[in-house]
Amino acid sequence: MNKPNRGGLEGIVAGQTRLCTVGIDGVGLNYLGYTIEDLTEQASFEEVAYLLFYGELPSGSQLAEFVVRLKRYRGIPAPLKTILEQLPARSHPMDVLRTGCSALGTLEPEGSFANQVHAAERLLACMPSILAYWHQYQTRGEQIDVELDMDSMAGHFLTLLHGKPPSETHRRAMDVSLILYAEHEFNASTFTARIVASTLSDFHSAMTAGIGALRGPLHGGANEAAMELIERFSDPDSAETSLLAMLGRKEKIMGFGHRVYKDCDPRSDIIQRWSKKLCDEAGNQRLYAVSERIEQVMRREKKMFPNVDFYSASAYHCLGIPTQMFTPLFVLSRISGWSAHIFEQRADNRLIRPAAEYIGPPTRNWLSMSQR
Ligand code: ACO
């Protein structure tokens, strides 16, 4: 007997990619053949972004030139600053990024597909500035200078956010998290961006759509939802009691489970180690102990493992990042993966247009108004 179609395109191969393997045989994550373990041990986020944009790791001089270009592209055009200043202070920062991306597409349109790599580098460099500029304007009324002379995106963003350069531990923690979030095959937001690109639409439309798809709590929004959960508990025992009650009510626990990985999310172990290090350093034992207990209960009760978003929450919290900026940080990184997928889609394009199984009424006779 055929399994009922539960929708969601589960297990459907919807195209080809050379960018990433997710969970082949249930485990592992590679970007263009490099394991996520090697990349987070050895690479900077900028090297990973270069790898995704250009298909190979950069040489020393290629990396240096790439970093110089990104630094040059960090500025925000004056009309976009005005737009950001008009957005309500209560806006969700994901909406600010979506608007910022779309507005940049009107001020600096891609024009031709020949400019796609420039558009991608510009967006990668400018989006952290957009997020931090809006945040500082709305919270402190300050029109900050976003064009700082800092090489890494992690250092640049944390400096704009906190008004002072981060410690090397904090900078590298952010760098690793950006590497972990950079790329993940045909996830919902990447697939969204590819669908838009497949209509031969412009780069900024595809990226804006990707941001919209990432926002939901079943996808990128899970890191914020996980933090909101963890923060509710004063100690591990009360977390366990509440979690059991939530599971009893069949509630989903954000930051757990995955469509593709069956035994573990390889990104989770890496960010968990950083979460532990940052919680120890901050003396925030409660945050880590509560997180660990939630993980234990989920493994015991549901045989479920944390995905990348769960321990990202406590790690980001220790970096002093407001919870509503967790998913936006995911965007800042995933711009690299989305861009690479748009390039790949365009290089061998065919309109993405699947079919649906019809479950509506059979063909029937038209009813005049008096017959209804
Ligand atoms: N907590 C509790 N139960 C869960 C969870 C969870 N986090 N995830 C899945 N389940 C249960 C479902 O209730 C369902 O049970 P049922 O068969 O009794 O109805 C079963 O496991 C299958 O769940 P689906 O939602 O059908 O699985 P799917 O493959 O569609 O979902 C998903 C994958 C969306 C990630 C899911 O596990 C989930 O909602 N997790 C929480 C949100 C989350 O963390 N998202 C981030 C994913 S990683 C990323 O995007 C970067």
Side-chain angles (χ1 to χ4, degrees), residues 6-8 10 181 184 187-188 214 216-223 247 250-260 262 265 267 298 302 304-305 307-310 330 334:
R6 295 190 61 221
E10 180 172 358
Y181 273 141
H184 216 232
N187 58 83
L214 189 74
L218 295 188
H219 191 9
N223 55 15
L247 292 176
K250 297 211 167 309
E251 286 180 35
K252 272 194 167 176
I253 310 303
M254 297 303 157
F256 285 85
H258 200 269
R259 173 63 68 77
V260 182
K262 294 305 167 209
D265 178 339
R267 302 167 295 180
M298 288 301 281
K302 297 284 292 183
M304 295 194 82
F305 53 85
N307 58 50
V308 63
D309 282 330
F310 186 67
F330 195 157
R334 187 56 65 84

Side-chain angles (χ1 to χ4, degrees), residues 132-174:
Y133 184 89
W134 170 81
H135 176 74
Q136 299 296 19
Y137 184 81
Q138 296 302 345
T139 54
R140 298 178 23 220
E142 239 186 85
Q143 296 171 312
I144 57 165
D145 175 13
V146 293
E147 296 186 68
L148 308 182
D149 183 20
M150 308 197 81
D151 282 357
S152 71
M153 184 203 277
H156 178 235
F157 180 74
L158 286 174
T159 305
L160 292 182
L161 184 65
H162 296 312
K164 61 178 187 339
S167 69
E168 180 50 24
T169 307
H170 282 199
R171 193 205 64 79
R172 182 59 185 159
M174 172 66 76

Side-chain angles (χ1 to χ4, degrees), residues 36 76 116 131 134 165 179 220 294 325 337 356-357:
I36 196 67
I76 306 174
Q116 63 180 3
L131 181 60
W134 170 81
I179 294 171
I294 293 174
M325 280 201 189
E357 178 189 0

Side-chain angles (χ1 to χ4, degrees), residues 36-338:
I36 196 67
E37 288 77 16
D38 276 351
L39 292 170
T40 49
E41 281 291 322
Q42 311 287 343
S44 65
F45 172 70
E46 282 69 21
E47 275 176 290
V48 171
Y50 187 101
L51 173 69
L52 292 166
F53 284 1
Y54 295 97
E56 294 295 341
L57 287 172
S59 67
S61 60
Q62 286 169 330
L63 180 61
E65 284 163 23
F66 183 58
V67 167
V68 166
R69 278 202 302 284
L70 293 181
K71 281 160 79 168
R72 206 167 59 229
Y73 296 157
R74 280 180 184 153
I76 306 174
L80 179 48
K81 285 185 181 169
T82 308
I83 292 171
L84 294 172
E85 289 169 16
Q86 302 301 316
L87 298 178
R90 64 174 185 283
S91 307
H92 192 287
M94 281 298 278
D95 299 342
V96 173
L97 283 184
R98 192 190 59 220
T99 302
C101 176
S102 183
L104 198 67
T106 66
L107 298 167
E108 300 174 10
E110 181 185 17
S112 135
F113 289 0
N115 299 325
Q116 63 180 3
V117 179
H118 170 75
E121 291 185 356
R122 171 71 168 127
L123 204 63
L124 186 72
C126 188
M127 288 287 263
S129 305
I130 288 174
L131 181 60
Y133 184 89
W134 170 81
H135 176 74
Q136 299 296 19
Y137 184 81
Q138 296 302 345
T139 54
R140 298 178 23 220
E142 239 186 85
Q143 296 171 312
I144 57 165
D145 175 13
V146 293
E147 296 186 68
L148 308 182
D149 183 20
M150 308 197 81
D151 282 357
S152 71
M153 184 203 277
H156 178 235
F157 180 74
L158 286 174
T159 305
L160 292 182
L161 184 65
H162 296 312
K164 61 178 187 339
S167 69
E168 180 50 24
T169 307
H170 282 199
R171 193 205 64 79
R172 182 59 185 159
M174 172 66 76
D175 205 41
V176 166
S177 141
L178 295 173
I179 294 171
L180 291 174
Y181 273 141
E183 164 53 13
H184 216 232
E185 199 224 43
F186 277 26
N187 58 83
S189 56
T190 302
F191 195 53
T192 302
R194 285 190 80 129
I195 291 172
V196 177
S198 85
T199 71
L200 301 183
S201 186
D202 68 292
F203 183 83
H204 296 87
S205 294
M207 299 299 274
T208 306
I211 295 170
L214 189 74
R215 192 188 195 296
L218 295 188
H219 191 9
N223 55 15
E224 290 176 36
M227 190 67 222
E228 283 155 16
L229 175 74
I230 298 163
E231 264 182 330
R232 277 192 237 157
F233 308 120
S234 55
D235 60 82
D237 287 346
S238 63
E240 174 153 358
T241 307
S242 293
L243 207 69
L244 290 171
M246 290 172 78
L247 292 176
R249 294 192 297 270
K250 297 211 167 309
E251 286 180 35
K252 272 194 167 176
I253 310 303
M254 297 303 157
F256 285 85
H258 200 269
R259 173 63 68 77
V260 182
Y261 298 123
K262 294 305 167 209
D263 301 319
C264 73
D265 178 339
R267 302 167 295 180
S268 175
D269 285 354
I270 297 169
I271 200 65
Q272 182 177 1
R273 284 196 293 276
W274 278 96
S275 164
K276 170 101 180 71
K277 188 178 166 96
L278 295 170
C279 286
D280 282 351
E281 190 194 82
N284 199 339
Q285 311 303 344
R286 178 192 66 86
L287 190 62
Y288 190 79
V290 166
S291 304
E292 227 179 8
R293 181 67 71 85
I294 293 174
E295 179 189 350
Q296 286 162 7
V297 174
M298 288 301 281
R299 286 189 190 276
R300 189 184 73 220
E301 300 293 323
K302 297 284 292 183
K303 308 220 172 339
M304 295 194 82
F305 53 85
N307 58 50
V308 63
D309 282 330
F310 186 67
Y311 281 102
S312 295
S314 42
Y316 280 173
H317 185 82
C318 290
L319 294 178
I321 295 164
T323 303
Q324 285 206 331
M325 280 201 189
F326 289 7
T327 317
L329 281 173
F330 195 157
V331 172
L332 302 188
S333 161
R334 187 56 65 84
I335 286 169
S336 59
W338 289 334

